[in-house]
């Protein structure tokens, strides 16, 4: 299991972008903002997991997960609170939440390979009460709603790098967030 080297902040994904110049919003459009990119990443990571059992990259590092869990503890978030991980990737954060005792957790990602990978990792960990779904957060197909906690580690960043009208996509992100998050719910973006 490797960990993201960035250590924090929304600039982390942007820093990986290697071409083009910033748009008016300061982001450099990049393949990192496209579904094709993430499909290819998770197809590769799924293969690696099957061959070697490596769960792949943890964006922003393991400490970012611990920090959020400590925050949830400090604020006495009940273990049965509904939690949504937006763009869950390999789902390792879901595993950590479940091991801590959270019992109502859902991960979504628009990459089917990411959901397959997170499902395989969750199964290997022997955890059964985690919901997973292939969903484009910008075009939600089902009535996902009423979450107490929404977590995003790296997904808004990725969306912000989309070469095709990222500004609109960020607005849509906010709309989707307001749909899935309960009134007075909590939203955590990347590291706190
Ligand atoms: C930087 S990775 C972070 C993955 C994971 N949250 C983590 O911390 O390891 C960004 C993730 O967002 C997902 N993603 C990007 N745009 C998305 C969208 N519109 N809907 C759902 N998932 C999306 C990608 O497939 C990828 O898994």
């Amino acid at each position: 299991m490797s960990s993201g080297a960035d250590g924090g902040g929304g600039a982390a994904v942007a820093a990986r972008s290697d071409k083009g110049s910033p748009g008016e919003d300061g982001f450099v459009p990049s393949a990192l903002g496209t579904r094709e990119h993430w499909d290819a990443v998770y197809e590769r990571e799924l293969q690696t997991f099957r061959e070697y059992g490596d769960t792949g990259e943890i964006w922003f590092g393991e400490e970012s997960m611990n920090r959020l869990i400590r925050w949830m503890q400090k604020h006495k978030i009940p273990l049965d609170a509904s939690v949504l991980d937006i763009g869950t990737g390999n789902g390792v954060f879901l595993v950590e939440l479940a091991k801590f005792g959270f019992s109502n957790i859902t991960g979504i990602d628009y990459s089917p390979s990411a959901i397959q990978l997170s499902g395989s990792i969750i199964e290997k960990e022997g955890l059964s009460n985690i919901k997973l779904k292939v969903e484009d957060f910008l075009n939600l197909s089902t009535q996902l709603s009423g979450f107490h906690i929404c977590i995003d580690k790296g997904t808004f960043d990725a969306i912000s790098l989309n070469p095709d009208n990222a500004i609109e996509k960020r607005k849509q992100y906010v709309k989707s967030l307001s749909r899935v998050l309960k009134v007075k719910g909590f939203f955590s973006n990347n590291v706190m």
Side-chain angles (χ1 to χ4, degrees), residues 13 38-39 42 57-60 85-90 108-111 114 135-138 152-155 158-159:
V13 176
W38 294 110
D39 278 341
Y42 289 112
E57 177 145 14
I58 298 176
W59 287 81
F60 306 108
D85 187 18
I86 302 164
T88 195
N90 57 16
I108 59 166
D109 204 291
Y110 68 1
S111 165
E135 280 281 344
D136 181 349
F137 192 64
L138 302 185
D152 175 335
K153 210 155 57 66
T155 302
I159 286 170

Side-chain angles (χ1 to χ4, degrees), residues 1-2 42 45-50 52-58 65 88-96 98-99 113-128 130 132:
M1 185 185 288
S2 63
Y42 289 112
E45 294 206 351
L46 183 58
Q47 196 56 35
T48 306
F49 178 72
R50 284 177 179 152
Y52 307 106
D54 189 295
T55 53
E57 177 145 14
I58 298 176
M65 301 190 289
T88 195
N90 57 16
V92 167
F93 204 175
L94 302 172
V95 168
E96 293 305 309
K99 283 184 176 170
S113 301
I115 292 300
Q116 249 183 295
L117 174 61
S118 47
S120 305
I121 292 171
I122 287 165
E123 192 184 343
K124 189 176 175 196
E125 293 286 344
L127 300 163
S128 54
I130 299 175
L132 289 172

Side-chain angles (χ1 to χ4, degrees), residues 153-191:
K153 210 155 57 66
T155 302
F156 182 77
D157 303 46
I159 286 170
S160 295
L161 297 176
N162 192 293
D164 178 25
N165 204 349
I167 292 180
E168 261 323 297
K169 289 191 163 59
R170 286 208 292 276
K171 285 185 189 159
Q172 182 54 49
Y173 181 101
V174 175
K175 280 190 197 156
S176 294
L177 185 61
S178 66
R179 190 176 122 192
V180 295
L181 190 61
K182 208 177 166 82
V183 175
K184 296 194 180 166
F186 293 99
F187 170 56
S188 162
N189 186 19
N190 297 338
V191 281

